[in-house]
Amino acid sequence: MDTKANILLIYTGGTIGMIKDFETGTLRNFNFKDLLKHIPELKLLDCTIATTSFKQPIDSSNMNPGYWADIATIIEERYEDFDGFVVLHGSDTMSYTASALSFMLENLNKPVVFTGSQLPIGDLRTDAKENLITSIQIAALREKGHSKIAEVCLYFEYKLYRANRTTKINAEHFEAFASLNYPALVESGVNLVINNEALYRPNRRKKLRVHKAMESNILLVKMFPGIDETTISHLFSYPEIKGLVLETYGSGNVTNEQWFISALKRLIAKGIPVINVTQCSGGSVAMGMYETSIELKRMGVISAKDCTTEAALAKLMYLLGQKVSPKSFKTIFETSLRGEMI
């Protein structure tokens, strides 16, 4: 018989950790040690909950790889003491952080569930309570002595997703996130319905390895009709650039004007990896399907396949941080490492 699961709640910042001062109408962070005062329903959960938080909670718009490393360090240091982790994070950049953590935490055998809310925890119509309670329930799920979920996930509005498959699609609705290229792992209704076939299957014999080096000197360029040679020349001439993510049209298409193709070739000749990710919310890159992507395939542009932009960026930062050799970079990038692509 399994004992109660121990869950660590990590608060980084964001709307979910705020309450409204009804005299002034402003939002302020509350002390997470007083969590039960705000959500007494947590006493009903069949698990024990501990909390920790950033010394200074941050708005997720200020999130960066240094803070990602801080989250990874907390999990690394407390990994043996807890059965699961729930990370409270602002929704705006949650998919970026959660995707990054999926690569930083290699051989993860326990759940790391990111969640947040659109309304503060003290608001009358808040989504914070349901998101938090169900995230903790999911993190506490166990089967045959092991955690049922063993990957980095994102829970929002009744659905648990693989984190590196998500993107934020709405700034106002409670259904703020979507995973268009991969099914939900769990759906919350009267019962928690688990999609067992979709779950990541880790090698439980391997120990957790935490990678904190992430290369942030990369460039994200979104293609648009009218982008010109002067703009591209200026961007691509950045002397510290280590990698480029190109958000392309449809299935990976770009303008085939010679000035643009030549600019990409010059980057690749310097050993700088160029990643092709579709700017569409769903679907996949398939270079060579149309004439406007044939040249990309020929010159060695790397396909992000059905990755989200967030996952493609995180994976690029991770692999560059690991000093992967240019000879093997394309092969490794185009291989699924954490279930982020087909």
Side-chain angles (χ1 to χ4, degrees), residues 207-262:
K207 290 188 176 181
L208 176 71
R209 294 183 63 197
V210 180
H211 307 279
K212 300 173 190 174
M214 300 288 278
E215 176 58 68
S216 58
N217 278 321
I218 62 173
L219 191 63
L220 170 63
V221 175
K222 184 168 185 169
M223 297 302 296
F224 64 90
I227 195 166
D228 59 36
E229 183 175 1
T230 303
T231 302
I232 288 297
S233 177
H234 179 72
L235 292 172
F236 287 10
S237 64
Y238 169 51
E240 300 300 320
I241 186 173
K242 299 296 191 300
L244 168 68
V245 175
L246 205 58
E247 266 201 2
T248 57
Y249 309 122
S251 58
N253 305 308
V254 295
T255 176
N256 57 6
E257 293 280 353
Q258 192 54 50
W259 61 263
F260 184 76
I261 298 301
S262 296

Side-chain angles (χ1 to χ4, degrees), residues 182-194:
Y182 201 77
L185 307 181
V186 178
E187 293 199 34
S188 174
V190 175
N191 299 301
L192 292 177
V193 180
I194 301 170

Side-chain angles (χ1 to χ4, degrees), residues 312-331:
L313 277 167
K315 190 173 186 177
L316 177 59
M317 295 169 79
Y318 165 70
L319 292 179
L320 288 171
Q322 296 305 300
K323 308 296 183 185
V324 173
S325 72
K327 288 184 178 180
S328 57
F329 200 97
K330 185 176 190 294
T331 299

Side-chain angles (χ1 to χ4, degrees), residues 8 11 34 44-45 50-51 57-58 98 129 141 145 152 169 192 197-198 206 259-260 298 305 340:
L8 180 63
Y11 178 56
D34 297 330
L44 302 175
L45 295 177
T51 64
I58 62 165
K129 289 187 178 182
L141 290 173
V152 181
I169 60 166
L192 292 177
E197 296 301 314
K206 292 186 177 181
W259 61 263
F260 184 76
R298 286 175 182 160
K305 300 183 179 180
E340 73 283 356

